[in-house]
mmCIF file of all heavy atoms in Angstrom:
data_model
loop_
_atom_site.group_PDB
_atom_site.id
_atom_site.type_symbol
_atom_site.label_atom_id
_atom_site.label_comp_id
_atom_site.label_asym_id
_atom_site.label_seq_id
_atom_site.Cartn_x
_atom_site.Cartn_y
_atom_site.Cartn_z
ATOM 1 N N MET A 103 12.038 -0.046 7.228
ATOM 2 C CA MET A 103 11.621 -0.134 8.524
ATOM 3 C C MET A 103 12.543 0.671 9.488
ATOM 4 O O MET A 103 13.607 0.938 9.131
ATOM 5 C CB MET A 103 11.497 -1.629 8.935
ATOM 6 C CG MET A 103 10.778 -2.492 8.051
ATOM 7 S SD MET A 103 10.710 -4.250 8.599
ATOM 8 C CE MET A 103 9.922 -4.255 10.137
ATOM 9 N N MET A 104 12.067 0.954 10.710
ATOM 10 C CA MET A 104 12.812 1.645 11.604
ATOM 11 C C MET A 104 12.750 1.075 12.973
ATOM 12 O O MET A 104 11.569 0.623 13.413
ATOM 13 C CB MET A 104 12.527 3.129 11.627
ATOM 14 C CG MET A 104 12.755 3.868 10.434
ATOM 15 S SD MET A 104 12.566 5.655 10.533
ATOM 16 C CE MET A 104 14.042 6.159 11.409
ATOM 17 N N LEU A 105 13.820 0.988 13.669
ATOM 18 C CA LEU A 105 13.971 0.628 15.096
ATOM 19 C C LEU A 105 14.239 2.095 15.631
ATOM 20 O O LEU A 105 15.304 2.599 15.351
ATOM 21 C CB LEU A 105 15.007 -0.346 15.472
ATOM 22 C CG LEU A 105 14.670 -1.610 15.132
ATOM 23 C CD1 LEU A 105 16.047 -2.504 15.082
ATOM 24 C CD2 LEU A 105 13.739 -2.330 16.070
ATOM 25 N N CYS A 106 13.399 2.688 16.483
ATOM 26 C CA CYS A 106 13.576 4.068 16.717
ATOM 27 C C CYS A 106 13.215 4.304 18.204
ATOM 28 O O CYS A 106 12.235 3.898 18.683
ATOM 29 C CB CYS A 106 12.541 4.930 15.856
ATOM 30 S SG CYS A 106 12.963 6.617 15.433
ATOM 31 N N SER A 107 14.127 5.238 18.932
ATOM 32 C CA SER A 107 13.771 5.746 20.280
ATOM 33 C C SER A 107 12.452 6.393 20.120
ATOM 34 O O SER A 107 11.987 7.075 19.151
ATOM 35 C CB SER A 107 14.896 6.505 20.739
ATOM 36 O OG SER A 107 14.914 7.849 19.964
ATOM 37 N N LEU A 108 11.714 6.408 21.226
ATOM 38 C CA LEU A 108 10.381 7.020 21.195
ATOM 39 C C LEU A 108 10.376 8.605 20.922
ATOM 40 O O LEU A 108 9.492 9.041 20.290
ATOM 41 C CB LEU A 108 9.616 6.749 22.582
ATOM 42 C CG LEU A 108 9.394 5.211 22.798
ATOM 43 C CD1 LEU A 108 8.386 5.079 23.997
ATOM 44 C CD2 LEU A 108 8.948 4.511 21.593
ATOM 45 N N ASP A 109 11.440 9.191 21.315
ATOM 46 C CA ASP A 109 11.563 10.668 21.104
ATOM 47 C C ASP A 109 11.674 10.874 19.605
ATOM 48 O O ASP A 109 10.975 11.755 18.965
ATOM 49 C CB ASP A 109 12.744 11.159 21.758
ATOM 50 C CG ASP A 109 12.509 11.441 23.258
ATOM 51 O OD1 ASP A 109 11.394 11.312 23.734
ATOM 52 O OD2 ASP A 109 13.528 11.631 24.024
ATOM 53 N N GLU A 110 12.465 10.180 18.968
ATOM 54 C CA GLU A 110 12.659 10.239 17.474
ATOM 55 C C GLU A 110 11.455 9.720 16.785
ATOM 56 O O GLU A 110 11.153 10.309 15.651
ATOM 57 C CB GLU A 110 13.957 9.644 16.957
ATOM 58 C CG GLU A 110 15.295 10.237 17.572
ATOM 59 C CD GLU A 110 15.189 11.651 17.432
ATOM 60 O OE1 GLU A 110 15.039 12.179 16.256
ATOM 61 O OE2 GLU A 110 15.479 12.390 18.372
ATOM 62 N N ALA A 111 10.863 8.631 17.251
ATOM 63 C CA ALA A 111 9.657 8.173 16.644
ATOM 64 C C ALA A 111 8.550 9.149 16.575
ATOM 65 O O ALA A 111 7.803 9.223 15.670
ATOM 66 C CB ALA A 111 9.353 6.885 17.312
ATOM 67 N N ALA A 112 8.426 9.955 17.686
ATOM 68 C CA ALA A 112 7.387 10.944 17.688
ATOM 69 C C ALA A 112 7.523 11.905 16.706
ATOM 70 O O ALA A 112 6.554 12.385 16.006
ATOM 71 C CB ALA A 112 7.355 11.542 19.157
ATOM 72 N N ARG A 113 8.732 12.443 16.399
ATOM 73 C CA ARG A 113 9.050 13.366 15.373
ATOM 74 C C ARG A 113 8.694 12.787 14.108
ATOM 75 O O ARG A 113 8.057 13.434 13.154
ATOM 76 C CB ARG A 113 10.658 13.737 15.443
ATOM 77 C CG ARG A 113 10.938 14.754 14.356
ATOM 78 C CD ARG A 113 12.488 15.119 14.519
ATOM 79 N NE ARG A 113 13.297 13.959 14.067
ATOM 80 C CZ ARG A 113 13.520 13.707 12.745
ATOM 81 N NH1 ARG A 113 13.085 14.520 11.744
ATOM 82 N NH2 ARG A 113 14.264 12.645 12.456
ATOM 83 N N ASN A 114 9.158 11.513 13.910
ATOM 84 C CA ASN A 114 8.898 10.882 12.587
ATOM 85 C C ASN A 114 7.436 10.782 12.303
ATOM 86 O O ASN A 114 6.846 10.869 11.115
ATOM 87 C CB ASN A 114 9.702 9.626 12.549
ATOM 88 C CG ASN A 114 11.089 9.851 12.512
ATOM 89 O OD1 ASN A 114 11.686 10.897 12.059
ATOM 90 N ND2 ASN A 114 11.856 8.744 12.929
ATOM 91 N N ALA A 115 6.681 10.272 13.300
ATOM 92 C CA ALA A 115 5.241 9.996 13.208
ATOM 93 C C ALA A 115 4.519 11.243 12.880
ATOM 94 O O ALA A 115 3.473 11.275 12.104
ATOM 95 C CB ALA A 115 4.665 9.273 14.381
ATOM 96 N N ARG A 116 4.692 12.430 13.538
ATOM 97 C CA ARG A 116 4.141 13.566 13.265
ATOM 98 C C ARG A 116 4.472 14.036 11.845
ATOM 99 O O ARG A 116 3.614 14.747 11.177
ATOM 100 C CB ARG A 116 4.710 14.744 14.146
ATOM 101 C CG ARG A 116 4.219 14.470 15.609
ATOM 102 C CD ARG A 116 4.919 15.391 16.617
ATOM 103 N NE ARG A 116 4.584 14.992 18.003
ATOM 104 C CZ ARG A 116 5.458 15.005 18.962
ATOM 105 N NH1 ARG A 116 6.829 15.486 18.715
ATOM 106 N NH2 ARG A 116 5.045 14.741 20.256
ATOM 107 N N GLY A 117 5.471 13.592 11.192
ATOM 108 C CA GLY A 117 5.780 13.878 9.779
ATOM 109 C C GLY A 117 5.150 12.946 8.816
ATOM 110 O O GLY A 117 5.321 12.969 7.532
ATOM 111 N N GLU A 118 4.396 11.878 9.370
ATOM 112 C CA GLU A 118 3.647 10.916 8.568
ATOM 113 C C GLU A 118 4.625 10.087 7.803
ATOM 114 O O GLU A 118 4.406 9.623 6.785
ATOM 115 C CB GLU A 118 2.615 11.637 7.657
ATOM 116 C CG GLU A 118 1.507 12.490 8.485
ATOM 117 C CD GLU A 118 0.565 12.969 7.443
ATOM 118 O OE1 GLU A 118 0.964 13.495 6.346
ATOM 119 O OE2 GLU A 118 -0.630 13.012 7.796
ATOM 120 N N TYR A 119 5.700 9.746 8.526
ATOM 121 C CA TYR A 119 6.732 8.849 7.838
ATOM 122 C C TYR A 119 6.292 7.376 7.900
ATOM 123 O O TYR A 119 6.838 6.562 7.141
ATOM 124 C CB TYR A 119 8.105 8.959 8.495
ATOM 125 C CG TYR A 119 8.749 10.215 8.282
ATOM 126 C CD1 TYR A 119 8.141 11.380 7.668
ATOM 127 C CD2 TYR A 119 10.096 10.458 8.791
ATOM 128 C CE1 TYR A 119 8.804 12.588 7.519
ATOM 129 C CE2 TYR A 119 10.745 11.710 8.693
ATOM 130 C CZ TYR A 119 10.111 12.681 7.982
ATOM 131 O OH TYR A 119 10.706 13.899 7.878
ATOM 132 N N TYR A 120 5.397 6.980 8.817
ATOM 133 C CA TYR A 120 5.096 5.585 9.068
ATOM 134 C C TYR A 120 3.736 5.260 8.650
ATOM 135 O O TYR A 120 2.864 6.007 8.614
ATOM 136 C CB TYR A 120 5.160 5.273 10.667
ATOM 137 C CG TYR A 120 6.527 5.607 11.251
ATOM 138 C CD1 TYR A 120 6.563 6.169 12.520
ATOM 139 C CD2 TYR A 120 7.833 5.304 10.623
ATOM 140 C CE1 TYR A 120 7.726 6.409 13.113
ATOM 141 C CE2 TYR A 120 8.926 5.599 11.298
ATOM 142 C CZ TYR A 120 8.979 6.200 12.536
ATOM 143 O OH TYR A 120 10.236 6.384 13.147
ATOM 144 N N TYR A 121 3.626 3.831 8.243
ATOM 145 C CA TYR A 121 2.325 3.355 8.075
ATOM 146 C C TYR A 121 1.513 3.263 9.302
ATOM 147 O O TYR A 121 2.049 3.029 10.427
ATOM 148 C CB TYR A 121 2.407 1.841 7.608
ATOM 149 C CG TYR A 121 2.365 1.787 6.056
ATOM 150 C CD1 TYR A 121 3.529 1.378 5.349
ATOM 151 C CD2 TYR A 121 1.201 1.996 5.340
ATOM 152 C CE1 TYR A 121 3.496 1.259 3.996
ATOM 153 C CE2 TYR A 121 1.173 1.770 3.955
ATOM 154 C CZ TYR A 121 2.343 1.450 3.317
ATOM 155 O OH TYR A 121 2.288 1.361 1.948
ATOM 156 N N SER A 122 0.214 3.606 9.242
ATOM 157 C CA SER A 122 -0.717 3.111 10.420
ATOM 158 C C SER A 122 -0.732 1.606 10.401
ATOM 159 O O SER A 122 -1.011 1.026 9.408
ATOM 160 C CB SER A 122 -2.059 3.798 10.162
ATOM 161 O OG SER A 122 -3.066 3.147 10.957
ATOM 162 N N LEU A 123 -0.540 1.108 11.629
ATOM 163 C CA LEU A 123 -0.643 -0.413 11.646
ATOM 164 C C LEU A 123 -2.150 -0.894 11.387
ATOM 165 O O LEU A 123 -2.188 -2.034 10.998
ATOM 166 C CB LEU A 123 -0.259 -0.821 13.107
ATOM 167 C CG LEU A 123 1.167 -0.604 13.467
ATOM 168 C CD1 LEU A 123 1.497 -1.298 14.738
ATOM 169 C CD2 LEU A 123 2.151 -0.952 12.321
ATOM 170 N N GLU A 124 -3.073 0.027 11.691
ATOM 171 C CA GLU A 124 -4.496 -0.449 11.292
ATOM 172 C C GLU A 124 -4.655 -0.609 9.860
ATOM 173 O O GLU A 124 -5.648 -1.164 9.382
ATOM 174 C CB GLU A 124 -5.450 0.506 11.901
ATOM 175 C CG GLU A 124 -5.428 0.454 13.433
ATOM 176 C CD GLU A 124 -6.151 1.543 14.229
ATOM 177 O OE1 GLU A 124 -6.464 2.581 13.485
ATOM 178 O OE2 GLU A 124 -6.497 1.416 15.276
#
Side-chain angles (χ1 to χ4, degrees):
M103 303 175 67
M104 294 187 76
L105 289 162
C106 205
S107 66
L108 298 193
D109 286 344
E110 296 311 310
R113 181 184 68 84
N114 295 334
R116 291 169 189 144
E118 300 181 322
Y119 292 6
Y120 302 140
Y121 266 107
S122 163
L123 297 189
E124 292 172 342

